């Protein structure tokens, strides 16, 4: 079946450095790719998303890139801050349906 | 607006007991979803609904039932709880497809422990 692989599972960076999280998906019909941030004990919250007709999207310190040919997409966080510490989940739509398949998450720790 | 709310926040059950989790949204969203979140496994879809009166199975539906009698509410039932159903349950909702966003909005979660 369709799946989404996410790497790395944990990532530690120094404050001010960049962080990159990568995901690959298997369903070539997937057309929507959101990224969620989940702080400890809280609900997942959308931080950025991208559709298959766009290669890159940026929102302040956060950017997402999509390579449809290779079926992978990445989250880039620049100038990391301690408050960026959380678990980040990527997801891909199941085909062009309204269902999402989630990656297994990346625990990001930003050290001051 | 309260957004997406879930009741209860925490619950402890004994094996074989039953319970119902309630999800409510005040955003007039058509789509609603129930996920479970287990360590190292991300979020997995249990059941979902594309509108009032409709339900459909997700990836891991066994042992669960759902109902969507009112557009704003989506209920998740466990008829005979098992320890394997110990998890954090999240509800989410989304507006109708073709709208301005495909974002799913999540509730605060219910932590369920089955002994």
């Amino acid at each position: 079946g369709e799946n989404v692989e996410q790497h790395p599972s944990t990532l530690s960076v120094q404050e001010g450095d960049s962080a990159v999280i990568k995901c690959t998906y298997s369903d070539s019909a997937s057309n929507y790719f959101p990224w969620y941030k989940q702080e400890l004990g809280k609900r997942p919250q959308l931080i950025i998303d991208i559709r298959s007709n766009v290669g890159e999207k940026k929102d302040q310190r956060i950017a997402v890139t999509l390579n449809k040919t290779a079926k992978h997409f990445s989250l880039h966080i620049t100038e990391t801050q301690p408050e960026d510490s959380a678990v980040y989940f990527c997801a891909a739509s199941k085909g062009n349906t309204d269902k999402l398949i989630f990656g297994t998450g990346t625990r990001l720790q930003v050290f001051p | 607006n309260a957004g997406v709310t879930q009741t209860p926040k925490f619950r402890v059950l004994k094996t074989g007991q039953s319970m119902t989790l309630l999800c409510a949204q005040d955003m007039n969203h058509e789509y609603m979803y129930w996920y479970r979140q287990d360590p190292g496994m991300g979020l997995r879809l249990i059941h979902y609904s594309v509108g009032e009166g409709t339900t459909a199975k997700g990836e891991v539906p066994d042992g669960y039932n759902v109902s969507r009698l009112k557009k704003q509410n989506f209920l998740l039932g466990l008829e005979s709880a098992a320890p394997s159903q110990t998890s954090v349950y999240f509800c989410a909702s989304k507006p109708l497809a073709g709208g301005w966003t495909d974002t799913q909005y999540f509730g605060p979660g219910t932590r369920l422990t089955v002994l």
Side-chain angles (χ1 to χ4, degrees):
Chain A
E2 300 89 350
N3 73 309
V4 174
E5 294 189 0
Q6 183 172 348
H7 298 283
S9 56
T10 61
L11 180 59
S12 296
V13 300
Q14 203 73 33
E15 182 178 1
D17 288 349
S18 295
V20 180
I21 303 171
K22 299 181 180 181
C23 289
T24 60
Y25 60 98
S26 59
D27 187 349
S28 57
S30 295
N31 63 1
Y32 176 64
F33 307 90
W35 285 88
Y36 285 86
K37 175 183 180 182
Q38 186 178 29
E39 296 177 353
L40 189 63
K42 300 289 182 63
R43 73 188 79 191
Q45 292 196 300
L46 181 83
I47 54 171
I48 196 168
D49 57 7
I50 192 168
R51 296 184 183 277
S52 58
N53 59 349
V54 175
E56 184 173 358
K57 184 177 179 180
K58 190 173 182 179
D59 183 4
Q60 298 184 331
R61 298 187 295 109
I62 295 173
V64 57
T65 59
L66 172 65
N67 183 327
K68 285 191 296 182
T69 303
K71 289 191 282 190
H72 67 70
F73 56 113
S74 300
L75 178 71
H76 304 253
I77 306 174
T78 58
E79 302 172 22
T80 54
Q81 302 167 1
E83 50 265 38
D84 293 330
S85 297
V87 178
Y88 292 80
F89 291 95
C90 65
S93 62
K94 188 171 182 179
N96 63 354
T97 70
D98 296 288
K99 293 182 286 184
L100 295 175
I101 301 172
F102 284 83
T104 51
T106 296
R107 182 173 299 278
L108 174 65
Q109 290 183 299
V110 181
F111 292 99
Chain B
N1 286 357
V4 182
T5 59
Q6 291 182 234
T7 310
K9 290 184 170 55
F10 304 94
R11 185 73 186 268
V12 178
L13 290 178
K14 294 182 179 178
T15 297
Q17 287 185 319
S18 64
M19 78 163 295
T20 300
L21 283 66
L22 171 63
C23 176
Q25 52 95 4
D26 61 3
M27 298 178 283
N28 201 35
H29 286 172
E30 292 294 331
Y31 294 81
M32 296 187 75
Y33 308 83
W34 274 108
Y35 293 91
R36 60 177 289 171
Q37 184 175 39
D38 302 295
M41 301 188 73
L43 290 144
R44 293 182 293 167
L45 183 64
I46 305 170
H47 285 282
Y48 65 102
S49 168
V50 300
E52 181 179 312
T54 75
T55 63
K57 295 180 180 179
E59 302 171 66
V60 289
D62 294 343
Y64 305 95
N65 57 74
V66 287
S67 64
R68 183 119 181 253
L69 298 179
K70 293 183 179 181
K71 185 177 182 178
Q72 63 268 35
N73 295 338
F74 195 29
L75 279 64
L76 177 72
L78 287 73
E79 289 187 347
S80 180
S84 61
Q85 294 177 305
T86 293
S87 188
V88 179
Y89 292 86
F90 285 99
C91 174
S93 70
K94 189 182 82 67
L96 191 64
W100 64 276
T101 180
D102 280 325
T103 305
Q104 291 188 17
Y105 296 87
F106 283 84
T110 294
R111 185 174 294 276
L112 175 66
T113 301
V114 183
L115 302 176

